[in-house]
Amino acid sequence: MKHICATGIVLGLVLLAWPAHARVVEKIAALVGDDVILQSEVEDRAAPLLADIASITNPSEREARINAIRREVLERLIDDQLLAQQATELKLTASNDEIDRAIEQIKRDYGLNDAQLKDELRKQGLSMATYRINTKREILKYRVLNIAVGSKLNIGDTEVQSYYDRHMKSANIQVRASHIFIAIPEDADNATVVEREKLAKSLLSRAQNGEDFAKLAREYSEDAGTRAEGGDLGFIGRDILPKPMEELVFSMRVGEIRGPVRADRGFHVIKVVDKHAKEAKPFAEVQDDIRIRLRQREMERQTKIYLSDLRKKVLVDIRL
């Protein structure tokens, strides 16, 4: 149900009634321009990700993991708020029919009927009305990205052919790998970088000494896209991973665990699970898939740049 819990619940400022002479205002996690992100929003979004933290027995490691998850969640909420502001500035809207179609697609993707969807939402503490609000936000977010980023992407025939010639024209090695990702905050000082690397090294040591790699990934990895699957990256060809990771992964033996390698805003501890040679397919058969893959990769890269540029234009004050 990743799509269902992908967005946070919209909350207003909550004032707790104390004696007439005093009021307590809920703590602010960040200001994004004139908009507020509350600590309760961070805690609500982080709650499912913190479910396995209790199994970490070392108190300092557990606290560091909790703080890292909260920061990861806050960064996503900031990005979401920046995109929501852009949607307002661009006067974008999403009709009830569009929201209905998006929810129907989610039901089809997950094989749910109306009653099952409502039951899943209830388990997560969400009403259908709130879920519709969240779905509208997601529609607007991706509409902004399609206008600001997607509309400018052009993956040409030459680029597709070049990728095929480099990676798919002849049989090539595919590696199945898993990783544990320890993120470095965007504004990290040297002490924070050293602390993050120390954690990555300790996880490498534990994995090399026989602890279950997938279990460590589920507990510690800060890659939200692979954490639930024990860090599984699937089968990977050349020119997919960041270069420092690619060089390491393709030099490793099956079953080997190595790292940490610094790439993509953090440290990676990597395990190679399998390797095989993939037979070449004709260009005509794979060119559309290549174009989609290249477009997705470039979309991700340009989205990071776009969000970074937005942060430079909007005052973002992090208080968590």
Side-chain angles (χ1 to χ4, degrees):
M1 298 303 295
K2 291 180 181 177
H3 288 81
I4 293 179
C5 59
T7 56
I9 301 173
V10 181
L11 298 175
L13 282 175
V14 179
L15 302 180
L16 302 179
W18 275 36
H21 60 276
R23 283 183 175 181
V24 175
V25 180
E26 186 178 350
K27 187 174 180 180
I28 293 173
L31 295 173
V32 184
D34 295 330
D35 294 316
V36 171
I37 296 174
L38 300 174
Q39 185 167 343
S40 63
E41 293 178 83
V42 176
E43 297 299 334
D44 286 344
R45 184 82 70 90
L49 306 176
L50 294 171
D52 296 327
I53 298 301
S55 61
I56 301 176
T57 56
N58 185 296
S60 60
E61 288 184 2
R62 184 169 61 250
E63 185 63 24
R65 182 75 183 98
I66 290 171
N67 291 337
I69 287 176
R70 284 175 175 152
R71 183 56 183 262
E72 175 188 341
V73 167
L74 178 57
E75 293 293 338
R76 287 192 218 160
L77 287 169
I78 290 170
D79 288 344
D80 286 350
Q81 191 59 58
L82 288 168
L83 292 172
Q85 291 173 357
Q86 287 300 298
T88 300
E89 186 173 317
L90 293 169
K91 296 182 172 57
L92 300 179
T93 60
S95 68
N96 286 330
D97 285 344
E98 288 173 316
I99 296 169
D100 289 340
R101 286 196 296 271
I103 293 175
E104 286 300 317
Q105 184 61 54
I106 290 169
K107 285 161 56 181
R108 285 193 295 271
D109 289 344
Y110 288 94
L112 301 174
N113 58 34
D114 287 339
Q116 290 169 327
L117 175 60
K118 289 179 180 179
D119 186 53
E120 289 293 338
L121 293 175
R122 180 187 55 77
K123 292 175 183 177
Q124 298 172 42
L126 295 174
S127 67
M128 180 55 74
T130 299
Y131 184 51
R132 289 182 66 84
I133 291 172
N134 293 344
T135 301
K136 180 178 181 178
R137 283 180 141 190
E138 288 295 295
I139 292 171
L140 294 178
K141 179 171 73 174
Y142 288 108
R143 192 161 289 170
V144 169
L145 291 175
N146 282 330
I147 292 171
V149 179
S151 63
K152 300 175 183 178
L153 298 182
N154 181 27
I155 307 300
D157 294 341
T158 302
E159 192 174 352
V160 175
Q161 183 70 59
S162 177
Y163 183 92
Y164 176 80
D165 291 342
R166 291 197 316 271
H167 304 291
M168 303 178 73
K169 192 171 186 178
S170 57
N172 61 91
I173 298 297
Q174 299 278 306
V175 176
R176 185 168 188 173
S178 297
H179 78 148
I180 302 171
F181 177 60
I182 303 300
I184 300 172
E186 193 169 322
D187 57 351
D189 55 19
N190 287 335
T192 301
V193 174
V194 169
E195 182 272 329
R196 301 265 79 197
E197 185 175 20
K198 183 179 178 181
L199 174 58
K201 287 180 176 178
S202 73
L203 293 169
L204 171 66
S205 177
R206 289 170 63 178
Q208 289 178 332
N209 286 326
E211 289 195 46
D212 184 83
F213 191 93
K215 184 173 184 294
L216 290 173
R218 284 190 290 269
E219 291 178 358
Y220 290 96
S221 182
E222 292 161 17
D223 177 6
T226 64
R227 180 170 50 230
E229 289 76 34
D232 184 21
L233 294 165
F235 277 101
I236 303 160
R238 293 277 186 180
D239 205 28
I240 299 297
L241 298 173
K243 284 302 177 185
M245 285 184 69
E246 179 181 291
E247 291 173 6
L248 180 62
V249 165
F250 282 88
S251 69
M252 293 169 62
R253 302 182 305 275
V254 173
E256 190 175 7
I257 302 170
R258 290 173 61 183
V261 58
R262 183 170 179 176
D264 193 25
R265 299 178 298 145
F267 293 101
H268 301 258
V269 177
I270 300 168
K271 179 178 181 178
V272 169
V273 179
D274 194 7
K275 279 188 179 183
H276 66 225
K278 188 175 182 181
E279 292 299 321
K281 293 182 179 180
F283 177 72
E285 187 177 330
V286 297
Q287 61 178 324
D288 290 342
D289 290 339
I290 293 173
R291 196 181 303 275
I292 291 170
R293 180 186 300 178
L294 293 177
R295 180 179 173 81
Q296 287 175 337
R297 188 173 66 184
E298 185 62 13
M299 184 77 177
E300 290 173 4
R301 191 181 75 85
Q302 292 293 340
T303 294
K304 290 177 183 178
I305 295 172
Y306 175 65
L307 290 170
S308 179
D309 289 342
L310 282 181
R311 290 194 183 213
K312 294 173 184 176
K313 298 174 184 177
V314 178
L315 177 61
V316 177
D317 180 10
I318 296 175
R319 301 184 178 185
L320 184 63

